């Protein structure tokens, strides 16, 4: 069965050497012809290195240049790695802003970058540090084939069901690297009276697969959809915003309409606080003076448009003074880890982007930066330790659990 | 490429890598291709011929000087490049060579909110600069359509024009002094005073002006001290609809004569522009059918000032056939002025959609000549579209006040034409160039200038600029200055027909 690689069917057609399919030429030209380069200014990578070839304008122009006989696909194997896949350029592109709906031609740089990386792999050219990405993928995929209990070890002692109309989907990164996040999610939902289950053997949800191996990504996706459906899911709660993009955008593109509703955890928590199922206690003395800001994960803010529920929840936390930076202003922010492979590909740039983000929070005079993404948490914790910027990255579920007295 | 040229280039690239580091000397095709273009149409059939040989990204004045000296040593052309947001091909290399991309030089060196200056490197963007200045309640009031993406070096090289120039001055009015690397690699400072911050002095020649608007032919700005302004407390955009362009034209004269000092800009939209926005811009709020043209006024100042002039603005508009478009469209359209000036997807008047790039003529025309220029420009543009309906489309005209600090006299007069670059042929391109020549000639015949904002360097208009507008000795003097400062014709050769300065010598 032919698989649609993005919302633009012509992305299916592989680039071979110097041959660019005509619809893709037009797609690239639409960005090139704009030439305003708003995409450049909003790009966190460009803000660091000031090299416009590492932008949406750069990638589209490079492919257009290939179509005009100036080079071939192999020539861009290094430059195409310089993308966080954060989606800021797509939002800032006039084609999306003012023509996307009208002409049905929004700019889709993230899909394009993934497609080009995959085409490079399929052409046996690969790209810089490709082997490291594959090694990461292999390491995580091994979990799928490992002992069943390993994938749910994070939930030890919580006595969670393995079926139900509401299912909590926990990805491998949360399950193995940031176990406090799924544990807090489970405790909060349980305390709020939500009946839910978890999959005993979820499939891998790795952004890296979209860069190098779409077939395995889709295969794992089909496993997840089938397993959730079999478990009786009518509603699936996601706690990793990267997964939210895979379920709502990539699974629907590559697999089809999902047989259940998919919701992000902060939207669920907002519902539960609004209807009284979650009640926060009084602020303790140490919490009264807590001054925080919120970092919009790229996946939620720029790709899925979920920006209100985290702010709503933070606003209800007792003893917290909240300093907002608007979602639009945060289009040019990123924690630096990127949507998938970027930190592995460019660790120095990743660190500098992260340090800049932390410093922006420090400039607000806050003591904590609230996060809703395990990858942002991991990255900014690491960056904070290395840079010495005295801001504590804290996951929103940690604060909610504390406010509910669930420690 | 001849063997000796190739060897010189290879040797030069080696020295550039030593001077700047390998990472910042780039020869990949895509690095060169992306730095060939600017915002004006080129026709993809020309692209390959305009590729530079190498791109460098210096980080300091010393590195820029080193690059220029290496270029002189090996006689390799240099084209300075800022944001690539220009509309006159200034940053497009005509003789290959080295592109000097200045965007890494983006530091703010000093903010002085007492003497009201800021000193920056040329690669900084105005929007980013103003974010830093905001807490001090000052701003750098250069406000082109490319405000979010342009950089100071490019603005200076093009002698840029600002939407708010009528209130706050244009780029040439906002530069106090500059550090420049000359075409021979010397580092000089131009501007008045023993420091960097004097705006008005009568000592010596006004050499600063020589290094503004030269399109990269006389040097590379590496540091600039700019004039700041107090951040305005308030703004008052008021848009009027009119039943005819003649009403709009008459209304602008009334505003010009009003004596309102906080009037920072007046813009006319003609009937074709209103029609274009109706059919093509989904963000443009629908207007009643009777609306033919429009006038936008913008006042910046203190809240008290704006409150006091508000009634005068509305009275002048109404007395001249204007109907206020309302707060939503006035404030909304003004707020989105930097975002909307071009989209590649365009609906044409026949309902088809075709990918087109945007060409923008930008003559400086006096108010009295606007009706004549408008009529004659449309005759030229309509003939072009009639001959090549698949390749060109008329997108209407804007006329903006252009006189710095005063709303009367000059108008930046713009006719926008869609250009189908993807399907361009050399033959159709030749007809396009001829149309541009005719448009430029009308401007000069009507007493105006070929360009108020972008520069007169593009194919088509450059002949008119050099041989007609600057014919009374100015072009000859430009050539002598160019040759004196750039004896090897290193700096952006091919622009403004300045190569003739060197041909004269060869002939002699």
């Amino acid at each position: 069965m032919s698989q649609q690689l993005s919302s633009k069917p012509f992305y299916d057609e592989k680039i071979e050497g110097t041959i660019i399919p005509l619809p893709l030429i037009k797609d690239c030209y639409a960005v090139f012809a704009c030439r305003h380069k708003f995409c450049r200014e909003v790009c966190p990578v460009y803000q660091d290195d000031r090299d416009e070839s590492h932008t949406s304008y750069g990638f589209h122009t490079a492919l257009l240049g290939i179509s005009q006989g100036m080079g071939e696909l192999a020539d861009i194997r290094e430059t195409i790695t310089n993308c966080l896949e954060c989606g800021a350029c797509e939002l800032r592109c006039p084609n999306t802003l003012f023509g996307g709906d009208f002409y049905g031609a929004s700019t889709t740089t993230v899909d394009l970058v993934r497609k080009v990386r995959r085409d490079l792999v399929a052409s046996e050219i690969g790209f810089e540090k490709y082997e490291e990405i594959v090694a990461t993928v292999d390491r995580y995929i091994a979990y799928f084939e490992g002992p069943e209990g390993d994938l749910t070890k994070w939930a030890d002692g919580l006595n969670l069901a393995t079926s139900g109309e509401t299912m909590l989907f926990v990805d491998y990164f949360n399950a193995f690297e940031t176990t406090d996040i799924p544990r807090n999610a489970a405790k909060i939902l349980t305390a709020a009276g939500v009946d839910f289950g978890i999959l005993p053997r979820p499939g891998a949800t790795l952004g890296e697969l979209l860069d190098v191996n779409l077939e395995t990504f889709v295969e794992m996706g089909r496993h997840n959809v089938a397993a959730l459906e079999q478990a009786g899911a009518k509603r699936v709660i996601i706690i990793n915003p990267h997964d939210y993009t895979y379920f709502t955008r990539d699974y629907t593109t590559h697999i089809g309409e999902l047989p259940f509703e998919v919701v992000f955890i902060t939207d669920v928590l907002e519902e539960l606080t609004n209807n009284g199922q979650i009640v926060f206690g009084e602020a303790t003395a140490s919490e009264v003076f807590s001054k925080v800001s919120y970092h919009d994960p790229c996946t939620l803010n720029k790709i899925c448009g979920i920006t209100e529920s985290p702010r709503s929840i933070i606003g209800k936390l007792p003893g917290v003074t909240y300093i907002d930076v608007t979602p639009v202003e945060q289009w040019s922010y990123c924690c630096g880890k990127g949507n998938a492979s970027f930190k592995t590909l460019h660790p120095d740039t990743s660190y500098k982007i992260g340090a800049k983000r932390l410093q922006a929070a420090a400039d607000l005079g806050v003591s904590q930066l609230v996060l809703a993404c395990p990858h942002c948490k991991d990255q900014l914790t690491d960056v904070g330790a290395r840079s010495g910027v005295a801001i504590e990255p804290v996951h929103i579920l940690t604060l909610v659990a504390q406010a509910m007295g669930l420690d | 490429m001849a063997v000796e040229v190739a060897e010189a280039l290879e040797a030069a690239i080696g020295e550039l890598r030593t001077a700047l580091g390998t990472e910042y000397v780039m020869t990949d095709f895509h690095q060169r291709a992306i730095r060939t273009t600017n915002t004006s149409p080129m026709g993809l059939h020309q692209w390959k011929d305009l590729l530079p040989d190498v791109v460098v990204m210096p980080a300091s004045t010393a590195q820029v000087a080193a690059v220029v000296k290496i270029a002189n040593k090996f006689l390799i052309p240099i084209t300075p490049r800022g944001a690539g947001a220009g509309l006159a091909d200034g940053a497009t290399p005509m003789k290959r060579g080295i592109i000097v991309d200045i965007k890494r030089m983006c530091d703010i060196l000093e903010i002085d909110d007492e003497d009201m200056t800021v000193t920056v490197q040329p690669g900084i963007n105005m929007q980013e600069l103003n974010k830093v200045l905001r807490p001090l309640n000052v701003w750098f009031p250069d406000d082109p359509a490319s405000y979010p993406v342009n950089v100071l070096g490019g603005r200076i090289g093009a002698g840029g024009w600002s939407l708010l120039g009528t209130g706050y001055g244009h780029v040439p009015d906002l530069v106090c002094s500059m550090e420049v690397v000359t075409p021979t690699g010397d580092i000089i400072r131009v501007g008045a005073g023993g420091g960097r911050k004097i705006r008005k002095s009568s000592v010596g020649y006004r050499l600063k002006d020589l290094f503004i608007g030269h399109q990269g032919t006389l040097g590379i700005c590496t540091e600039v001290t700019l004039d700041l302004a107090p951040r305005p407390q308030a703004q008052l955009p008021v848009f009027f609809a009119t039943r005819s362009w003649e009403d709009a034209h008459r209304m602008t004269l009334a505003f010009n004569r009003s004596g309102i000092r906080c009037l920072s800009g007046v813009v006319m939209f003609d009937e074709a522009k209103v029609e274009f926005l109706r059919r093509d811009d989904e963000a443009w709020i629908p207007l009643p059918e009777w609306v033919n043209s429009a006038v936008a006024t913008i006042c910046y100042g203190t809240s008290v000032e704006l409150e006091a002039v508000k009634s005068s603005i509305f009275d002048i508009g109404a007395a001249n056939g204007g109907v206020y478009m309302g707060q939503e469209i006035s404030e909304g359209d003004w707020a989105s002025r930097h975002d909307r000036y071009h989209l590649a997807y365009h609906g044409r008047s026949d309902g088809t959609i075709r990918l087109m790039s945007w060409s923008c003529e930008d003559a400086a025309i006096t108010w009295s000549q606007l009706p004549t220029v408008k009529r004659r420009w449309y005759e030229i543009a309509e003939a072009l579209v009639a001959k090549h309906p698949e390749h060109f489309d008329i997108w209407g005209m804007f006329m903006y006040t252009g006189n710095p600090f005063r709303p009367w006299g000059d108008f930046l007069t713009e006719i926008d034409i869609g250009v189908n670059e993807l399907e361009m042929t050399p033959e159709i391109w030749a007809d396009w160039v001829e149309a541009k020549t005719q448009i430029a000639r009308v401007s000069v015949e009507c007493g105006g200038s070929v360009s108020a904002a972008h520069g007169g360097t593009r194919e088509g208009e450059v002949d008119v600029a050099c041989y007609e507008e600057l014919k009374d000795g100015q072009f000859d003097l430009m050539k002598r200055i160019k040759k004196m400062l750039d004896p090897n014709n290193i700096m952006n050769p091919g622009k403004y027909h300045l190569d003739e300065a060197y041909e004269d010598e060869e002939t002699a």
Side-chain angles (χ1 to χ4, degrees):
Chain A
M1 171 183 156
S2 109
Q3 290 171 343
Q4 188 182 346
L5 303 189
S6 78
S7 56
K8 291 177 177 169
F10 51 84
Y11 280 12
D12 283 353
E13 201 172 334
K14 185 169 163 261
I15 300 170
E16 298 272 9
T18 60
I19 309 299
I20 310 285
L22 183 59
L24 182 56
I25 292 175
K26 289 186 174 178
D27 189 52
C28 291
Y29 176 75
V31 174
F32 168 81
C34 161
R35 298 190 179 131
H36 303 321
K37 311 176 186 81
F38 299 143
C39 54
R40 179 181 72 189
E41 302 303 317
V42 80
C43 173
V45 176
Y46 170 79
Q47 287 171 9
D48 175 66
D49 67 17
R50 310 289 287 174
D51 183 347
E52 59 192 302
S53 73
H54 301 159
T55 65
S56 174
Y57 183 76
F59 303 141
H60 286 87
T61 300
L63 290 171
L64 188 66
I66 291 172
S67 79
Q68 302 299 307
M70 294 185 212
E72 57 184 53
L73 189 63
D75 295 330
I76 63 171
R77 64 189 295 275
E78 189 278 331
T79 208
I80 202 70
T81 64
N82 284 283
C83 176
L84 290 155
E85 303 173 49
C86 76
C89 53
E90 297 181 357
L91 292 175
R92 194 65 182 90
C93 179
N95 290 339
T96 306
L97 274 172
F98 298 116
D101 295 338
F102 196 70
Y103 297 109
S106 297
T107 295
T108 51
T109 312
V110 175
D111 283 344
L112 181 69
V113 164
R114 289 169 171 170
K115 170 208 166 36
V116 171
R117 291 177 183 175
R118 289 198 303 267
D119 284 355
L120 282 162
V121 171
S123 303
E124 298 185 346
I125 299 165
F127 50 85
E128 186 187 22
K129 294 190 179 176
Y130 161 68
E131 292 78 9
E132 286 187 43
I133 304 302
V134 172
T136 302
V137 167
D138 289 346
R139 182 163 60 86
Y140 277 99
I141 294 291
Y143 291 133
F144 183 69
E145 288 150 1
E148 184 163 294
D150 286 0
L151 287 164
T152 52
K153 203 170 177 56
W154 63 269
D156 281 356
L158 297 178
N159 300 317
L160 302 180
T162 54
S163 63
E165 291 191 356
T166 299
M167 294 292 287
L168 179 69
F169 185 85
V170 177
D171 59 290
Y172 292 5
F173 190 81
N174 268 318
F176 293 102
E177 313 282 343
T178 52
T179 53
D180 58 316
I181 294 172
R183 284 187 71 83
N184 278 331
K187 287 182 196 172
I188 292 165
L189 292 173
T190 302
V194 178
D195 289 325
F196 68 96
I198 58 170
L199 287 181
R201 187 182 289 278
T205 49
L206 296 170
E208 288 87 346
L209 284 169
L210 289 168
D211 285 342
V212 299
N213 188 341
L214 181 67
E215 289 70 26
T216 302
F217 178 87
V218 173
E219 187 186 323
M220 289 286 167
R222 290 189 198 286
H223 167 86
N224 284 330
V225 173
L228 287 163
E229 191 175 18
Q230 199 173 2
K234 291 184 177 170
R235 189 181 219 207
V236 175
I237 300 172
I238 305 285
I239 55 170
N240 183 332
H242 292 229
D243 284 8
Y244 189 78
T245 70
Y246 307 146
F247 273 76
T248 58
R249 285 168 51 106
D250 299 292
Y251 285 4
T252 53
T253 299
H254 303 308
I255 297 170
E257 191 178 345
L258 302 181
F260 41 72
E261 179 193 12
V262 178
V263 288
F264 189 65
I265 184 73
T266 53
D267 285 349
V268 176
L269 297 189
E270 188 184 25
E271 280 175 20
L272 296 172
T273 52
N274 286 343
N275 67 19
Q277 285 178 261
I278 288 180
V279 179
F280 297 132
E282 293 298 315
T284 64
S286 63
E287 290 166 341
V288 166
F289 302 107
S290 178
K291 194 172 172 184
V292 308
S293 188
Y294 170 67
H295 171 76
D296 281 297
C298 299
T299 39
L300 287 189
N301 180 20
K302 304 177 202 174
I303 296 179
C304 296
I306 295 178
T307 59
E308 292 299 321
S309 58
R311 288 172 170 78
S312 167
I313 293 162
I314 295 167
K316 290 171 182 163
L317 291 171
V320 164
T321 302
Y322 177 60
I323 310 293
D324 191 42
V325 177
T326 67
V328 171
E329 197 170 338
Q330 294 203 44
W331 284 0
S332 62
Y333 289 4
C334 178
C335 73
K337 191 166 187 179
N339 205 337
S341 313
F342 188 81
K343 187 174 183 180
T344 305
L345 297 169
H346 299 284
D348 292 342
T349 308
S350 168
Y351 168 74
K352 285 189 277 183
I353 293 169
K356 184 179 173 191
R357 176 62 188 98
L358 268 190
Q359 188 58 51
D363 291 344
L364 297 172
V366 301
S367 57
Q368 291 180 320
L369 184 60
V370 182
L371 310 163
C373 170
H375 302 288
C376 296
K377 170 78 163 44
D378 179 62
Q379 162 78 351
L380 292 176
T381 302
D382 180 37
V383 167
R386 286 177 62 192
S387 66
V389 178
I391 295 289
E392 181 192 0
V394 57
H395 196 279
I396 191 167
L397 295 183
T398 305
L399 294 182
V400 171
Q402 283 173 359
M404 293 173 71
L406 298 176
D407 286 349
Chain B
M1 191 183 290
V3 174
E4 61 272 24
V5 175
E7 286 174 354
L9 180 64
E10 192 179 335
I13 289 172
E15 292 199 15
L16 289 169
R17 286 182 171 141
T18 302
L20 272 66
T22 303
E23 187 181 351
Y24 300 111
V25 179
M26 299 173 284
T27 56
D28 289 345
F29 94 84
H30 62 91
Q31 295 280 10
R32 296 180 289 128
I34 195 173
R35 291 173 176 90
T36 301
T37 63
N38 57 62
T39 309
S40 57
M42 61 189 289
L44 296 191
H45 65 288
Q46 299 176 312
W47 194 4
K48 221 169 166 179
D49 298 332
L50 296 170
L51 287 183
D53 296 305
V54 56
V55 173
V56 298
M57 294 186 71
S60 66
T61 301
Q63 287 193 348
V64 172
V67 169
V68 174
K69 285 182 174 166
I70 292 166
N72 273 283
K73 178 179 173 183
F74 293 99
L75 298 179
I76 295 173
I78 284 178
T79 303
R81 185 176 181 84
L87 286 154
D89 298 344
T92 294
M94 295 178 73
K95 303 283 177 75
R96 305 184 76 97
I98 304 166
I99 285 277
V100 181
D101 183 333
I102 58 165
K103 288 194 285 297
R104 280 180 71 217
M105 299 175 67
C106 56
D107 287 340
I108 298 172
L109 304 174
E110 185 201 59
I111 300 171
D112 180 347
D113 63 344
E114 293 180 338
D115 293 329
M116 297 292 280
T117 63
V118 62
T119 300
V120 298
Q121 289 187 308
I124 192 166
N125 158 255
M126 290 87 77
Q127 183 167 273
E128 292 302 313
L129 174 60
N130 277 328
K131 276 185 195 171
V132 176
L133 296 173
R134 191 181 186 103
L136 298 170
N137 210 25
V138 295
W139 69 326
F140 177 61
D142 179 30
D143 192 271
S146 58
Y147 174 77
V149 300
N150 220 323
V151 299
L152 262 307
R155 296 290 293 154
I156 291 165
W161 170 95
S162 164
L163 280 158
L164 298 174
T166 291
Y168 292 90
H170 302 289
V171 171
D173 311 303
L174 296 171
V175 173
C176 299
S177 69
M178 283 186 290
E179 179 184 77
V180 176
V181 173
T182 71
T184 48
D186 300 317
I187 300 167
I188 63 169
R189 179 165 284 279
V190 290
R196 304 185 305 262
K197 303 176 183 175
I198 296 299
R199 282 81 166 176
K200 172 67 178 78
S201 161
S202 292
V203 173
Y205 298 156
R206 287 179 60 87
L207 290 180
K208 178 182 73 178
D209 287 349
L210 191 58
F211 293 93
I212 297 174
H214 57 84
Q215 298 288 343
T217 61
L218 293 182
I220 302 176
C221 169
T222 48
E223 185 185 305
V224 58
T225 299
L226 302 163
D227 198 11
L228 295 178
R231 196 169 187 84
Q233 277 181 354
Q235 56 173 292
L236 176 65
V238 179
F239 283 46
F240 294 102
T242 63
R243 293 181 185 278
S244 72
W245 179 77
E246 287 71 22
D247 281 351
H249 185 228
R250 194 171 56 250
M251 192 194 302
T252 59
L253 183 63
F255 280 118
N256 296 350
R257 291 170 165 172
S258 68
I260 297 172
R261 293 289 295 171
C262 58
L263 188 60
S264 298
V266 180
V267 188
M268 278 178 270
F269 301 50
D270 82 339
E271 54 270 48
K273 180 59 73 181
V274 169
E275 177 55 28
F276 172 71
L277 292 168
R278 273 198 179 105
R279 75 176 195 244
D280 195 63
D281 190 334
E282 66 170 6
W284 179 255
I285 297 168
L287 297 172
E289 279 303 309
W290 65 262
V291 175
N292 170 282
S293 298
V295 173
T297 64
I298 177 71
C299 292
Y300 275 48
T302 66
S303 304
V304 172
E305 273 178 312
L306 298 194
E307 196 55 41
V309 302
K310 193 183 279 183
S311 60
S312 298
I313 297 281
F314 285 108
D315 289 348
I316 291 168
N320 289 276
V323 174
Y324 178 47
M325 289 188 183
Q327 190 175 1
E328 186 181 12
I329 199 165
S330 297
E331 294 185 355
D333 201 65
W334 181 249
S336 66
R337 67 192 179 280
H338 302 131
D339 295 341
R340 296 173 49 191
Y341 64 115
H342 171 249
L343 185 68
Y345 292 91
H346 283 283
R348 289 153 48 86
S349 49
D350 65 0
T352 60
I353 295 170
R354 192 170 290 277
L355 283 167
M356 285 188 171
S357 187
W358 166 65
S359 176
C360 167
E361 306 302 320
D362 69 311
I365 304 294
T366 51
W367 182 89
S368 65
Q369 293 297 310
L370 290 174
T372 306
V373 168
K374 177 172 178 282
R375 176 179 54 77
R376 293 181 62 187
W377 277 11
Y378 274 119
E379 287 170 2
I380 297 164
E382 285 164 3
L384 178 72
V385 173
K387 188 172 180 185
H388 302 293
E390 303 299 315
H391 289 79
F392 300 101
D393 195 22
I394 298 172
W395 295 345
M397 289 178 67
F398 285 120
M399 296 92 161
Y400 308 82
T401 45
N403 192 352
F405 308 114
R406 303 168 184 86
W408 54 82
D410 302 9
F411 278 74
L412 186 164
T413 306
E414 164 181 334
I415 184 166
D416 297 321
I417 297 176
V419 180
N420 181 347
E421 293 174 296
L422 263 182
E423 296 171 357
M424 188 56 63
T425 67
E427 295 74 25
I428 297 172
W429 186 259
D431 285 346
W432 164 241
V433 170
E434 174 56 26
K436 285 175 60 63
T437 302
Q438 292 174 23
I439 285 170
R441 185 162 290 134
V442 166
S443 304
V444 176
E445 286 175 358
C446 290
S449 173
V450 166
S451 173
H454 310 148
T457 42
R458 273 179 297 183
E459 197 179 6
E461 67 205 19
V462 67
D463 294 358
V464 177
C466 294
Y467 305 140
E468 296 176 33
E469 183 173 342
L470 303 173
K471 67 180 178 187
D472 294 330
Q474 286 194 76
F475 181 51
D476 288 337
L477 184 57
M478 278 174 63
K479 288 189 284 187
R480 292 205 293 276
I481 292 169
K482 167 69 173 174
K483 194 171 172 185
M484 179 184 72
L485 292 179
D486 188 3
N488 292 321
N489 197 17
I490 287 296
M491 201 66 82
N492 214 355
K495 298 285 160 60
Y496 270 134
H497 292 319
L498 290 167
D499 289 1
E500 289 178 16
Y502 306 87
E503 291 164 8
D504 291 347
E505 184 182 62
E506 286 166 17
T507 305

